[in-house]
Amino acid sequence: MIAQEAQYRDWMLAALIGDARAYRMLLGGLTRHLRSYYARRLDSGAAEDAVQETLIAIHTRRATYDPARPFPALVYGSARFK
């Protein structure tokens, strides 16, 4: 994730000001990343459920994202509790 952190952060900031394309790109990138993250921790069915739950959590908390903080903190904070 660290390699994509700057890109994800840029997409998130663009999405917060209404860029729907940036938001789709962000969700697509996060989906791929989270599938890999959960595949190492859960069986395939539970992993896909966890991916979707994490994306929903990120979506509902996106307005609280603080650009001064590293973007992975938002993602892994959400993923850890799913």
Side-chain angles (χ1 to χ4, degrees), residues 4-65:
Q4 295 92 7
E5 179 180 349
Q7 182 64 70
Y8 288 163
R9 181 182 178 281
D10 290 346
W11 285 334
M12 174 61 98
L13 294 175
L16 289 174
I17 59 171
D19 187 335
R21 181 180 174 278
Y23 196 53
R24 283 192 305 276
M25 298 295 290
L26 174 66
L27 292 177
L30 289 176
T31 297
R32 287 186 299 279
H33 180 79
L34 290 168
R35 281 185 178 141
S36 174
Y37 175 83
Y38 285 121
R40 294 186 302 268
R41 292 162 176 80
L42 304 169
D43 67 63
S44 63
E48 190 59 32
D49 289 345
V51 168
Q52 296 306 314
E53 289 177 21
T54 302
L55 291 173
I56 290 167
I58 292 168
H59 174 77
T60 58
R61 292 191 297 186
R62 71 189 183 282
T64 65
Y65 172 60

